[in-house]
Amino acid sequence: MAIRLTTPLKASPVNVQQPPLNKQLATIFAVLLALSVPAAAQEAAPPDGAPPAAARKAPVVSVPRTAATAPTLADYARRDPALAAVLSLPRQTAEEQLRAVKLLIDLGHPEVAALILPELLKQKLDAKQQAALVEKFGSAAFLKLIRLDPPPQGDQPASPLNGARIFAQACLSAADAAAHDPARLAAIVAQLNAPTPEERYAARADLRTTGDPGIIAAFSALASATTEDARANILAALAEMRPAIDQPLLAVLADAQGQLRRDAAELAGYAKVTAARTLLATIAVSSDASAGGAARAALAKLGLSAPTPAEVEKLLHQKLATLNQQPMPTRGDGTHGLWWTWNNVAKKLQFAEYAEPQLRILTAARLTRALAEVTGLKSPADARLLVVNSLEEAALVGGQPSPALQKIIASLSPAELSAALREAVAANALAAATRLIDEIGLRGDASVLATSDGAPSPLAATLSHPVRRVRFAALSAIMLLAPSHSFPGSSKVADALWYFVAGGGDPAVVVAAPDIVQASSWAGQLRGHGFDATPTRFGREAIAAAIDPATSPRLALVVLDSDIDRPTVGEVVYQLRVSDRTAGAAILICCSAPHLELAQRIAAANPRVLAVPRPHAEGALAALADQALALGGQPPATKEDRTAEAKQALAWLAKLLAAGSPYDELERDAALLNRTLYLPELSIPSLQVLAVLRSADAQTQLVDYASSQTFPIDARRAAASALAENVKRFGVQLTHPQIRTQYDRYNASESADKDTQQVLSQILDILEKKPPTLPSK
């Protein structure tokens, strides 16, 4: 089917006379000339023999005025010919008023535009009129008005263009609503198949003004078209919408099936969409004969010969290998772009905005699916590549893996899953890595932990991954596998368990300033903002506090005064960045004036470092801390997530210690329980670990906790029960002075409540190895 373009229309029977170049147009041209000529060049050279400009004086008109009187429009017109030209334009309609405001702003005189703006704001415009203004002047003009009228901050006065932001937002909203009006779009698309060429031409012209919503509607109509003529008319309209259709067309080529894919291939060839060459080559060697023929014809129109399957396979591998060097379809400042997909069920195009790195992930998934279509996944490496890229894509778009992908994953052996995990981690495809780790754990085959060369397996290696969620997923999978023997990298299991135990509670901040009073003041301010802040004086103290195993798993921020020494701030930043324990923490440098420039250079060279002048206003430090935490990179885990991880890690520790695990040094970092025991949400899980921990310190902690009247009685009873379990397993390990202290506590409890007396009596019974007695009712 060829795309039949409508024959050019003859002149309209309606006689529309073009007015001659009148005074109004001449004025606009004068303004445009003023905008394009530098101010210094607008002064005409003096005639021969005339005195220099400095010696010439224009006639002065004396206007009585007080110091407080603001300039009027007439004053501005007398001062500047360009302003006079704009102000002489008619300003009766909203369009004329907006044109004047826009020209004045473009001339660099928003203060003059502010005098005209009230005329525009008084207009009672309906949605249709607002949308018409956007169509006339373009959305960029309205976005500029929004930028020039920012919301007032605190006690600051409103901008001179006060009201422009609300007006512009209302117009943009009206234009967006008009563009997305389903009834209007449906009517335009229906007119593409009108009986007369004039009606079809008018419909194509209207469709070009609708942007993305019109493209979506046209492709949906193409998918539902039942006749060749209807498809030809829609394709002709889409061809006139280049380059806006390029990315939507790639989505249809990649995801559609049957007749629609054939039509898309024909459109790509007719419109010479060079970006479609790779997908056209894929379709050309596919099993779809109809679409394949259209794709080969399209390639011929692009000056390319029909490829062989081997050539397409090589091309796709090259595209995937060089993806990081290829430009992405971004817009605006080049950091974000739209990603289009075709939904075969809804027969509709869909799009969403993604950052440039995310666009590469989505492109990789699309190219890998094309590779699978060509090769049939005969290569295990191609199958793993498809799994990794498709899982990363599913996580990015917020969906679940498709049934087809789940079937492919199920077909992979544990060894192949392990290889896919290694490739995912190497490609920094962390969402895919997490899903693969979960799958390995569910398989229950601990053989994936064994290696022939003694190096840690991909699963064991991720126990020390810098990204928290990957590390926790690996620990969870190994706990599911429950190996009965040690394996390469098993020493990292204990490290990971205690890392997550220490992560519970409030986020930690380390503060360093040469004046310890200042450091303590900053730490106090941050404690009021929900942080567990530690003040230090020297650089080495800050580094030691940050890498402390009790702090680093929950370290969110390090605040450094620019004047610290032993070592200086630059060395401290370097040490924090190279340590695995602190590499992900944000750093805020509060600078004295002499050191601000140096600190800003340090911040420019290091991610997640913010350098600012020292804060003095109330609440300023907390605001700067939030700003530093919002810098790029992995956001810190929430307190709720870290506490949930700590609970689970404590439960795993209690189980492993009770059963006799294959992991060495599980008890090495048990001192971390000194903190978690006193966190209300972690006290019971900590008691369960202490109950099976072979240590005199464990019994000391249990006795002290159960004897304290500051904790809930149920928690103290649980501590006494944990002590009984510990003594049953390991015997009494307390010293004689400690036991005497416990008798003194009991004897001093004469005035204490009955529940306390019963708990203290129970402790003595345990230490005397008497059977427990039930508390009286």
Side-chain angles (χ1 to χ4, degrees), residues 224-286:
S224 303
T226 57
T227 67
E228 184 176 334
D229 286 343
R231 291 195 297 273
N233 289 330
I234 296 170
L235 288 171
L238 286 169
E240 295 180 6
M241 298 181 75
R242 285 209 66 207
I245 65 160
D246 288 7
Q247 293 304 316
L249 179 60
L250 295 182
V252 177
L253 288 170
D255 304 330
Q257 302 169 353
Q259 180 66 48
L260 179 60
R261 201 181 197 193
R262 177 189 182 281
D263 291 340
E266 186 174 348
L267 176 59
Y270 177 81
K272 291 183 169 54
V273 182
T274 57
R277 288 176 296 187
T278 301
L279 290 173
L280 288 172
T282 300
I283 300 171
V285 299
S286 69

Side-chain angles (χ1 to χ4, degrees), residues 47 99 117 130 341 437 453 460 525 527 570 694 755 758 763:
R99 177 184 290 110
L117 182 64
Q130 291 171 331
T341 56
I437 290 170
D453 57 0
Q525 294 177 45
R527 289 190 195 104
R694 181 191 292 271
D755 289 334
Q758 288 177 341
I763 292 173

Side-chain angles (χ1 to χ4, degrees), residues 309-364:
E311 291 172 335
V312 177
E313 181 180 355
K314 181 179 179 181
L315 171 65
L316 290 168
H317 277 297
Q318 289 174 342
K319 288 285 186 181
L320 286 165
T322 61
L323 186 58
N324 288 334
Q325 288 76 48
Q326 297 174 25
M328 291 291 104
T330 56
R331 59 180 185 171
D333 60 0
T335 61
H336 290 73
L338 296 183
W339 182 258
W340 292 81
T341 56
W342 174 259
N343 188 319
N344 279 301
V345 177
K347 292 186 177 181
K348 185 179 180 180
L349 278 166
Q350 299 169 330
F351 67 86
E353 186 175 65
Y354 293 98
E356 192 262 356
Q358 296 172 326
L359 293 174
R360 296 190 187 279
I361 293 172
L362 297 168
T363 302

Side-chain angles (χ1 to χ4, degrees), residues 104-280:
L104 290 168
I105 291 174
D106 292 342
L107 282 169
H109 290 281
E111 74 283 0
V112 186
L115 299 178
I116 295 178
L117 182 64
E119 302 174 8
L120 176 61
L121 300 182
K122 289 179 182 178
Q123 295 279 1
K124 304 298 183 182
L125 304 178
D126 58 27
K128 184 176 181 180
Q129 292 170 318
Q130 291 171 331
L133 288 177
V134 177
E135 183 176 347
K136 177 71 177 180
F137 294 97
S139 59
F142 292 85
L143 293 173
K144 188 172 185 178
L145 287 177
I146 293 174
R147 289 195 300 271
L148 293 174
D149 181 25
Q153 302 292 330
D155 297 332
Q156 294 180 357
S159 74
L161 293 172
N162 185 32
R165 174 172 48 87
I166 297 176
F167 170 79
Q169 289 172 337
C171 291
L172 289 172
S173 297
D176 184 68
H180 288 78
D181 181 15
R184 176 173 178 266
L185 291 174
I188 293 174
V189 172
Q191 282 297 101
L192 294 175
N193 290 302
T196 66
E198 291 80 7
E199 290 175 303
R200 294 196 294 272
Y201 178 84
R204 292 199 300 274
D206 289 340
L207 187 65
R208 288 196 297 271
T209 67
T210 60
D212 292 341
I215 293 173
I216 294 172
F219 270 107
S220 293
L222 181 63
S224 303
T226 57
T227 67
E228 184 176 334
D229 286 343
R231 291 195 297 273
N233 289 330
I234 296 170
L235 288 171
L238 286 169
E240 295 180 6
M241 298 181 75
R242 285 209 66 207
I245 65 160
D246 288 7
Q247 293 304 316
L249 179 60
L250 295 182
V252 177
L253 288 170
D255 304 330
Q257 302 169 353
Q259 180 66 48
L260 179 60
R261 201 181 197 193
R262 177 189 182 281
D263 291 340
E266 186 174 348
L267 176 59
Y270 177 81
K272 291 183 169 54
V273 182
T274 57
R277 288 176 296 187
T278 301
L279 290 173
L280 288 172

Side-chain angles (χ1 to χ4, degrees), residues 465-533:
H465 196 278
V467 176
R468 188 185 197 96
R469 59 188 171 91
V470 177
R471 190 185 309 185
F472 190 76
L475 181 61
S476 301
I478 291 175
M479 292 299 103
L480 277 175
L481 295 175
S484 57
H485 303 285
S486 62
F487 51 86
S490 60
S491 61
K492 297 295 184 181
V493 172
D495 292 340
L497 284 166
W498 288 113
Y499 173 88
F500 288 108
V501 167
D506 291 330
V509 174
V510 174
V511 180
D515 182 356
I516 192 61
V517 175
Q518 180 66 73
S520 299
S521 174
W522 284 351
Q525 294 177 45
L526 292 171
R527 289 190 195 104
H529 201 54
F531 293 103
D532 179 8

